[in-house]
Amino acid sequence: QKAVQVDAPDDASSYTLVREIETRLGRAASPRYALALTVDTSQEGLAIDSEDNTTRYNLVGDVDFALRNISTGQVVTSGNVENFTGYSATGSTVATLAAERDAQKRLMVMLAEQLVTRLYAADLAQ
């Protein structure tokens, strides 16, 4: 039985994260729990060439979550998951933008996997 309803996303990153979580848990028709998420991402330059151009970036993601019982409103579990991924900025502007978008998606997939694993470990995903 699908028991978790994920709160609606409010930006592109959280949309991808919510979609990935729902892919793993399914959409709940009559949920027992509601999952609230706060997504934060940042970018760090890693490699700089001889002309002072950044050629590689790390994208860092941090998700705070709280799972609450819908009938009581009580938070059942909460926590944080974090991860990072990198991308290259050595191609054209279009290639760099595509690499950044791909890294953003990969990061949200990793964070969703970590979060769902935590819910299953706490026996709260079913």
Side-chain angles (χ1 to χ4, degrees):
Q1 175 180 343
K2 297 166 182 65
V4 178
Q5 170 186 305
V6 185
D7 289 356
D10 58 6
D11 62 17
S13 293
S14 60
Y15 173 82
T16 303
L17 181 66
V18 167
R19 187 184 71 221
E20 292 296 326
I21 291 169
E22 287 179 342
T23 296
R24 286 157 179 75
L25 295 179
R27 282 196 166 183
S30 54
R32 290 190 314 238
Y33 304 109
L35 180 62
L37 306 169
T38 304
V39 181
D40 185 39
T41 59
S42 60
Q43 196 168 261
E44 302 170 341
L46 288 181
I48 299 173
D49 66 14
S50 61
E51 296 171 4
D52 209 27
N53 297 312
T54 304
T55 59
R56 184 137 187 95
Y57 290 93
N58 256 2
L59 194 58
V60 180
D62 187 274
V63 177
D64 291 319
F65 66 92
L67 187 72
R68 65 189 181 283
N69 183 305
I70 290 175
S71 60
T72 66
Q74 181 178 356
V75 172
V76 179
T77 190
S78 62
N80 173 275
V81 292
E82 53 187 79
N83 216 319
F84 70 95
T85 189
Y87 68 95
S88 175
T90 57
S92 66
T93 303
V94 172
T96 298
L97 186 56
E100 182 179 3
R101 286 185 183 145
D102 182 63
Q104 186 79 19
K105 182 178 180 195
R106 285 192 321 270
L107 180 61
M108 292 303 121
V109 167
M110 290 186 291
L111 291 167
E113 288 173 354
Q114 287 178 263
L115 200 153
V116 168
T117 299
R118 293 269 298 270
L119 294 179
Y120 275 118
D123 202 27
L124 295 167
Q126 302 173 30

